[in-house]
Amino acid sequence: MSALDIASEETVDLGEMTESLGFMLRLAQLRLFERFFQGFAEAGVRPGEFTVLWVIALNPGVRQGALARVLRIKPAHMTKLVQRLVSDGLVRRHVPPRDRRSVRLELTGAGQGYLDRNRATFLRVHDAEREGLTEAEGRELLRLLAKLALAGGEPCP
Amino acid sequence: MSALDIASEETVDLGEMTESLGFMLRLAQLRLFERFFQGFAEAGVRPGEFTVLWVIALNPGVRQGALARVLRIKPAHMTKLVQRLVSDGLVRRHVPPRDRRSVRLELTGAGQGYLDRNRATFLRVHDAEREGLTEAEGRELLRLLAKLALAGGEPCP
DNA sequence: TATTGTTATACTCTATAACTATA
DNA sequence: TATAGTTATAGAGTATAACAATA
């Protein structure tokens, strides 16, 4: 089989699919995940987990439901995610007497230490995400994604 | 509890997370999935399945492995995905005598009919994806996503 | 009655390794 | 030996409904 045959066989026409935002968004996300895991491989943490730790650190005592809503994580999933972080000793749950249905979250000392140790990694990944784009392009991409994500109002009011 | 209390409790600071391409990409993708499922709810098909049907239609006789590579779907997952499409009667598998290890795919009559019936839906979703963006912004977003997805060479050469 | 979070279930997508059959 | 695809298994993420506790 000649190289030409191989090339013609392996060339796949995607047609208008290359103009599908959904499709291209998926390809871009797969690429970013590769870069995330390169950076966080040694830290043993997933994107969702790191984001949750980050936001709890910025909002100590945040209500679990509010966290789920703003991060677009389903409550049932958030329960399991938080359980994992609690059993890892990174997060502490607190039920306030004022409303004993709710659960408030804060970092433990270990969680704060973990975040401090990995803050530099996060910022490095932050830069690596933009690999192949100019700084202006990175800013514009971010602006367009935000506009798209927030268009037509919040999905979870 | 006053409205002020509620507001201050429910307002969550995301900090630099809003400048994370990975995070904003996820939010944008969730939004696009909502729109996809609004459009395709009645067709009973998933994004991955529709993309595979679309690309097989454009490349009749495409090798299953080549399809998996270009769509960034793992071979093990592609096997199951194709099995589903075959059992739905939309896709036909063909093992060529020249290389009996490989599997080539093409649409059945039903698959072609399905695609024809839903082509308009796809193009409608295509437009809905861009809701909230101007036409120029849609084009620019697509360009930046492609640049990001393809930067640093193909991940699966 | 409504809200907060939990449990249980199921399905998709992903990841990995071991396996077959062919080359 | 290498390649194409399959099977099996595991885990993350998502979706849904039913549920308990509380308001």
Side-chain angles (χ1 to χ4, degrees), chain A residues 29-57:
Chain A
Q29 197 177 32
L30 288 178
R31 172 58 58 103
L32 289 191
F33 271 33
E34 287 171 16
R35 294 178 185 174
F36 182 94
F37 285 115
Q38 276 177 3
F40 275 93
E42 70 275 9
V45 82
R46 266 163 274 284
E49 291 178 351
F50 187 82
T51 304
V52 166
L53 288 174
W54 181 276
V55 177
I56 293 175

Side-chain angles (χ1 to χ4, degrees), chain B residues 4-155:
Chain B
L4 191 64
D5 288 336
I6 292 173
S8 67
E9 276 184 8
E10 303 298 280
T11 298
V12 179
D13 178 13
L14 295 176
E16 287 150 296
M17 199 51 73
T18 59
E19 289 161 37
S20 161
L21 278 185
F23 179 72
M24 291 309 300
L25 212 55
R26 175 174 170 273
L27 291 191
Q29 196 176 35
L30 288 178
R31 172 56 58 102
L32 288 192
F33 270 34
E34 286 171 16
R35 295 179 185 174
F36 182 93
F37 285 115
Q38 277 177 2
F40 276 93
E42 71 277 6
V45 82
R46 267 163 277 283
E49 290 179 351
F50 187 81
T51 304
V52 165
L53 288 175
W54 181 275
V55 177
I56 293 175
L58 282 174
N59 304 269
V62 66
R63 202 166 56 70
Q64 181 170 314
L67 189 60
R69 201 153 40 243
V70 72
L71 297 182
R72 306 285 195 277
I73 295 174
K74 286 279 186 291
H77 183 209
M78 183 58 86
T79 294
K80 286 195 288 186
L81 209 162
V82 167
Q83 281 171 345
R84 204 158 54 220
L85 294 174
V86 167
S87 76
D88 288 347
L90 301 177
V91 166
R92 189 168 32 232
R93 294 159 43 99
H94 171 66
V95 174
R98 256 180 63 154
D99 182 350
R100 299 188 44 235
R101 295 170 305 180
S102 65
V103 174
R104 296 187 172 274
L105 303 173
E106 53 190 13
L107 296 191
T108 62
Q112 190 61 55
Y114 174 88
L115 204 63
D116 291 342
R117 279 196 308 282
N118 289 287
R119 199 176 299 273
T121 304
F122 172 75
L123 297 175
R124 185 153 41 80
V125 169
H126 188 272
D127 291 341
E129 282 180 336
R130 285 156 175 74
E131 198 182 294
L133 301 181
T134 69
E135 198 182 317
E137 284 175 333
R139 271 198 308 273
E140 179 67 358
L141 178 53
L142 207 54
R143 183 184 78 80
L144 293 173
L145 289 174
K147 192 170 178 186
L148 191 64
L150 303 177
E154 294 289 318

Side-chain angles (χ1 to χ4, degrees), chain A residues 5-44:
Chain A
D5 287 337
I6 293 172
S8 66
E9 275 184 9
E10 301 299 280
T11 298
V12 179
D13 178 13
L14 295 176
E16 286 149 298
M17 199 52 72
T18 58
E19 288 161 37
S20 162
L21 278 184
F23 179 72
M24 292 308 301
L25 213 56
R26 175 175 170 272
L27 290 191
Q29 197 177 32
L30 288 178
R31 172 58 58 103
L32 289 191
F33 271 33
E34 287 171 16
R35 294 178 185 174
F36 182 94
F37 285 115
Q38 276 177 3
F40 275 93
E42 70 275 9

Side-chain angles (χ1 to χ4, degrees), chain A residues 50-72:
Chain A
F50 187 82
T51 304
V52 166
L53 288 174
W54 181 276
V55 177
I56 293 175
L58 282 174
N59 304 270
V62 65
R63 202 166 54 71
Q64 182 170 312
L67 189 60
R69 203 154 38 244
V70 72
L71 297 181
R72 306 284 195 278

